[in-house]
Amino acid sequence: MLKELVMKTRTHRRFYENIVVSKESLKELVDLVRVVPSMANEQALKFILFYTKEDRDKIFPYLSWAGVLPDWNGPIEGERPAAYIMIICDKELGKNKQIDAGIAAQTIMLGATEKGLGGCILGNIQRENLIQELNLEKERYSIELVVGLGKPKEKVMLTEVKEDGDVGYYRDENQVHYVPKRKLEDLIIELH
């Protein structure tokens, strides 16, 4: 059931790095994205798969994690994603593909959950430096998002937004990660 899958699909930032996510699994996730809607059906998104330790170590320094947790610099060695899918736009096929990238990232997250994996959509990326590190053609490609993937090593719980309206996620002393969500009635605007 879709609602159950959506409820299980949470952002994870700590993983069992030693549990392999195969290239084939990553390709299956990209294959899901291949058939989802695309603005003007341009299908301008391309994907780079990172699944070897060497490739993962190459991308990790260019990613920022959990801006709401200022005392946390991201997952430590051993708790980093076992794989990444980088979503890039081929500007020869289309431009301004942020909506397509969001659809792609969420589709990857849903597919990962179905496979028993977890993920984190990363948008805070040192794009220019990473393009240079990867020797990508800057005029042709833009990095849109990166999805870190692996077997989750943390528990993520939904909670209601408190009276003060603070939506910042937080961790307790046991490192359980809490994500406040607004109530349904607070999201719907009635027009009369």
Side-chain angles (χ1 to χ4, degrees):
M1 180 174 232
L2 181 59
K3 183 172 184 174
E4 188 177 308
L5 182 61
V6 169
M7 294 300 289
K8 284 175 45 179
T9 302
R10 304 276 46 101
T11 296
H12 295 276
R13 293 175 180 84
R14 294 170 49 235
F15 305 89
Y16 292 99
E17 190 173 350
N18 62 326
I19 297 178
V20 173
V21 177
S22 70
K23 179 180 181 181
E24 192 56 41
S25 288
L26 298 175
K27 287 173 71 176
E28 289 169 3
L29 294 172
V30 171
D31 197 37
L32 290 174
V33 174
R34 183 180 65 78
V35 297
V36 298
S38 170
M39 299 295 283
N41 200 35
E42 288 178 328
Q43 304 173 59
L45 297 182
K46 302 280 178 85
F47 305 87
I48 301 175
L49 311 178
F50 298 85
Y51 50 92
T52 68
K53 178 153 178 43
E54 179 184 3
D55 286 343
R56 294 189 321 257
D57 287 349
K58 192 182 293 184
I59 190 174
F60 184 81
Y62 299 99
L63 306 173
S64 294
W65 298 79
V68 177
L69 302 174
D71 297 334
W72 191 67
N73 293 323
I76 61 172
E77 186 108 20
E79 294 185 346
R80 295 176 179 167
Y84 297 93
I85 297 177
M86 179 184 290
I87 303 169
I88 64 174
C89 179
D90 182 338
K91 294 184 276 188
E92 290 182 0
L93 300 176
K95 294 184 173 114
N96 303 317
K97 292 299 170 185
Q98 295 86 4
I99 292 170
D100 285 9
I103 292 168
Q106 183 62 14
T107 301
I108 290 167
M109 292 283 288
L110 290 166
T113 299
E114 189 176 59
K115 289 178 170 293
L117 301 171
C120 183
I121 300 171
L122 298 154
N124 192 350
I125 304 162
Q126 296 173 33
R127 286 172 172 81
E128 295 299 318
N129 294 336
L130 189 51
I131 283 174
Q132 188 173 355
E133 171 72 27
L134 300 174
N135 293 314
L136 287 174
E137 206 177 312
K138 181 180 175 180
E139 295 73 32
R140 180 171 180 181
Y141 298 112
S142 63
I143 297 172
E144 301 299 320
L145 295 168
V146 173
V147 183
L149 297 160
K151 186 73 172 169
K153 190 177 185 175
E154 63 186 354
K155 185 174 185 175
V156 178
M157 302 289 295
L158 297 183
T159 185
E160 285 189 9
V161 172
K162 295 182 178 145
E163 297 276 328
D164 64 5
D166 185 5
V167 294
Y169 46 81
Y170 57 94
R171 293 191 174 157
D172 68 15
E173 63 280 354
N174 298 315
Q175 295 303 303
V176 175
H177 192 90
Y178 293 89
V179 182
K181 294 292 184 181
R182 299 183 197 284
K183 295 177 184 174
L184 177 61
E185 55 268 19
D186 293 338
L187 301 179
I188 298 173
I189 297 173
E190 297 284 347
L191 298 177
H192 296 289

